[in-house]
Structure formats: C-alpha cells, structure tokens
Amino acid sequence: SWVLLSAARPPWNVIDNVYAHHNGIYGMLIAHAQAFLVDNCRVEYNNWRGFEAGTVAYDAGGIKFFRTRHIEVDNYVGYRNYGHGLWFDKDGRDISVTNSNFTFNMYRGLFIERCFGPVTVDNCFMSHNSRPLDDNRIYRYRSSAMSISATDVAVISNSFILDQMEYPVLIHSVDYLMEDGIIEPYGDLIYFQAWNNEYHNNVFSKPNDDFTFFTFGVDPFMSRCYYFYH
C-alpha cells in the first residue's frame, strides 16, 4: 500500500500496538487530530517506493502529524524509514514524545516543524539517522537525529543522541534550501522562530568532528548535557 492509515479529523483517538511497515510513502498520515495517543507502535521501511525509484522526497517516511493538538507518542519505534521516523508539521500544539527509539532512518529521526508548542521529548534514543552522504541526487537537506525547525517551547530531556554522521540536533528559525553548502531562506517565513528551547540531562556523541552538534545560530538553554566525539 501507499499508506497503511490516513485520516483527517479522526473520530477515534488511540492508535495502539500497530506495526506499519513497507508502505510506499507513509506508515501513517494523521491530520487535524485532537487529544490523540500513539502507544506501542513500530513503524519501519516506509517510503520505499520513492527510494527504489530514485525519487525519494524528504516529506515522507514513518508517521506524519499535521495541524494536531494534544498528541502523546509513547513507546514508539521508528526504524529504517526512507525519510523521517516521526514528523509533526505545522501548527502542532501540546506534543509529547516519550520512551521512544529512532534509529537508521534515512533522513531525520524526529522532525518537529513550525509547531507552537509546548513540545516535550523525554527518555528517547536516537542514532544513525542519516542520508547517504554521497547521494546528493536524492537529498539536498542536512540529516539529523532530531530537527527542531521554527518551533517554540521545546524541552528535550533524559535522551541519548548518538553516532550521527551529520547533525545530532538541527535547530533553525526559518525553513531553508541548501544547494552546494549555501543556505538560503525561502518563502515569507521569518516570523517562525525557534525560541525557548531547553535541553536537560542529555548525552550526545558523534563519530567525527566534521559538523557541529547544534547549528544555524539558535542558542538553546542547556543543563547537565554531555558531548563527545569518538
């Protein structure tokens, strides 16, 4: 299938113990949901059709939430999706991601984009989420374990973000297009800011020092965080 589950304003509010795998674009696509719980779900190998055709887009992968309110994701596994592991896009409010694992996704493990918050990410593990570094034909954007894009009031705590080839955490205030290392904002999006982000009790590691841990000029508040190369 192209998508295992697609719903707008769903009348139900729980997805529990679902295995969504090998779908052509998304594992699931949920829009305009409120008071919604995703619990104990495994989502893997989605967006494979675009990948095999050589036309992978960044806006696909595991689960995408769009314009949602009061969303809880717990005990989630996003694994080897050909795109994002989990994506909250545009006007998400009151988001919680806890006790979850994002590994070997081909673009970003957890992507939180243009959300007004608050956002809580706690007790999560993220590792080896990376595009093929030699395949710019497919991806023009930087990959990361987690991207906080134009999102306000995000608190990330008690999490391990390890062994990323590019950015462990990518933070920026406007959307951007990257061509040959040049970053150019596009669209009238300057009012989307990444303010009031906090990081507590986290461990970050990288296998090299080619890229920084945080980028694009946003300085979040840090406490008891540890960083190391190896």
Side-chain angles (χ1 to χ4, degrees):
S1 66
W2 286 101
V3 181
L4 175 67
L5 173 66
S6 179
R9 297 182 174 87
W12 30 266
N13 60 0
V14 176
I15 298 176
D16 180 42
N17 198 31
V18 172
Y19 179 34
H21 63 99
H22 292 93
N23 295 285
I25 301 178
Y26 292 106
M28 304 182 208
L29 178 60
I30 309 294
H32 300 279
Q34 296 199 37
F36 204 87
L37 171 66
V38 176
D39 185 36
N40 196 34
C41 291
R42 185 177 183 93
V43 181
E44 61 186 21
Y45 295 103
N46 297 289
N47 198 29
W48 68 270
R49 289 180 183 270
F51 177 76
E52 291 202 352
T55 59
V56 165
Y58 70 93
D59 55 347
I63 297 181
K64 178 179 179 179
F65 286 97
F66 180 76
R67 295 190 185 278
T68 50
R69 303 284 192 275
H70 316 300
I71 308 299
E72 295 183 35
V73 177
D74 191 43
N75 294 305
Y76 177 89
V77 175
Y79 176 71
R80 289 196 183 278
N81 293 286
Y82 299 100
H84 306 307
L86 176 63
W87 183 13
F88 294 92
D89 186 21
K90 292 183 181 178
D91 198 21
R93 306 186 186 212
D94 191 16
I95 295 166
S96 174
V97 181
T98 56
N99 307 311
S100 295
N101 188 302
F102 303 91
T103 54
F104 292 98
N105 297 287
M106 194 168 283
Y107 190 34
R108 291 172 178 167
L110 175 60
F111 189 17
I112 303 172
E113 181 181 20
R114 297 190 220 171
C115 292
F116 290 97
V119 176
T120 299
V121 179
D122 185 67
N123 195 35
C124 290
F125 181 85
M126 308 178 194
S127 181
H128 293 92
N129 299 281
S130 181
R131 67 190 176 108
L133 296 183
D134 60 348
D135 198 346
N136 291 318
R137 172 181 60 88
I138 294 177
Y139 289 114
R140 295 175 296 175
Y141 305 86
R142 293 297 190 194
S143 59
S144 60
M146 177 171 55
S147 177
I148 307 296
S149 172
T151 292
D152 195 15
V153 194
V155 178
I156 290 79
S157 59
N158 306 310
S159 296
F160 287 83
I161 301 176
L162 309 179
D163 294 338
Q164 288 293 135
M165 291 305 297
E166 292 194 285
Y167 295 103
V169 180
L170 182 62
I171 310 171
H172 53 96
S173 288
V174 295
D175 282 4
Y176 63 92
L177 177 64
M178 179 172 286
E179 293 279 4
D180 300 322
I182 299 173
I183 301 169
E184 298 180 356
Y186 68 88
D188 185 18
L189 298 173
I190 193 66
Y191 55 88
F192 288 107
Q193 299 295 323
W195 299 132
N196 304 315
N197 292 314
E198 301 182 13
Y199 295 78
H200 306 285
N201 301 318
N202 299 296
V203 176
F204 305 92
S205 81
K206 286 170 55 63
N208 57 61
D209 59 0
D210 293 339
F211 297 98
T212 58
F213 286 95
F214 299 87
T215 189
F216 298 139
V218 180
D219 295 320
F221 177 80
M222 303 281 181
S223 71
R224 300 179 301 280
C225 292
Y226 303 89
Y227 315 85
F228 59 92
Y229 299 106
H230 62 89

